[in-house]
Amino acid sequence: MTRVSIQALEDAFEFASLDPGESSAYLDRRTGEIHCVSAVVGEEGPDDLDESDHYLFVPDRDDLRIGSRTARHFAEDEATDLYEEVVRAFSGPGAFRRFEEILDRAGRREDWFTYRTARIREGLRAWCEAEGIQVVDGGPADADG
């Protein structure tokens, strides 16, 4: 079974989420190696990336639905005193900027990052389970182990 570290997956997720559609990450199901690809910064994947079924597209923030809904869930679950203000913040353009301002005023930015990271990890672990990939909590995984 292919093994991959949760940290490597998180890093790949963040890379792919920087510019969805322009940046992506792939997991080689044979080795557990992750390849980050971006036309913007000239990062290319393996030569057989387009022809092989050995590579899995690592989910990005859109795939895991990490966005405004997650921010509202954070307010509902962890910061109920901010819930109404957070809901209003997401009513138009610049929503995440307003959300971050609310967090900063309330001293809750670190709480948000902790919550967001937990949701990302849950999503990545579920994705791995569905794909038959074993997640390890340490550093880069040994593909043979």
Side-chain angles (χ1 to χ4, degrees):
M1 175 179 276
T2 303
R3 296 173 55 183
V4 65
S5 80
I6 190 64
Q7 186 59 57
L9 278 175
E10 283 180 59
D11 292 346
F13 167 87
E14 293 296 349
F15 179 86
S17 295
L18 286 174
D19 194 2
E22 296 296 324
S23 299
S24 53
Y26 299 87
L27 173 67
D28 185 330
R29 67 169 58 243
R30 299 167 298 182
T31 65
E33 185 178 359
I34 293 177
H35 302 276
C36 294
V37 178
S38 173
V40 176
V41 294
E43 295 287 333
E44 296 182 16
D47 292 337
D48 63 340
L49 184 64
D50 293 329
E51 298 104 35
S52 176
D53 61 352
H54 297 294
Y55 302 100
L56 298 172
F57 178 78
V58 175
D60 62 24
R61 68 174 183 240
D62 294 337
D63 297 319
L64 294 186
R65 303 181 78 190
I66 302 294
S68 61
R69 190 176 88 190
T70 304
R72 285 192 292 273
H73 284 263
F74 165 75
E76 185 176 38
D77 296 344
E78 305 289 328
T80 56
D81 55 317
L82 303 176
Y83 181 75
E84 293 299 322
E85 191 175 4
V86 168
V87 169
R88 282 192 305 277
F90 283 98
S91 64
F96 265 97
R97 179 186 45 78
R98 288 191 302 274
F99 175 62
E100 289 174 346
E101 289 169 357
I102 293 166
L103 294 175
D104 287 342
R105 277 195 314 273
R108 303 294 299 270
R109 189 182 283 249
E110 206 53 46
D111 296 337
W112 158 244
F113 287 130
T114 300
Y115 185 87
R116 180 183 180 273
T117 298
R119 300 299 80 76
I120 291 167
R121 284 184 175 197
E122 287 173 8
L124 291 172
R125 285 180 189 280
W127 174 76
C128 283
E129 185 176 327
E131 295 293 344
I133 306 295
Q134 181 182 4
V135 178
V136 295
D137 289 325
D142 174 355
D144 298 327

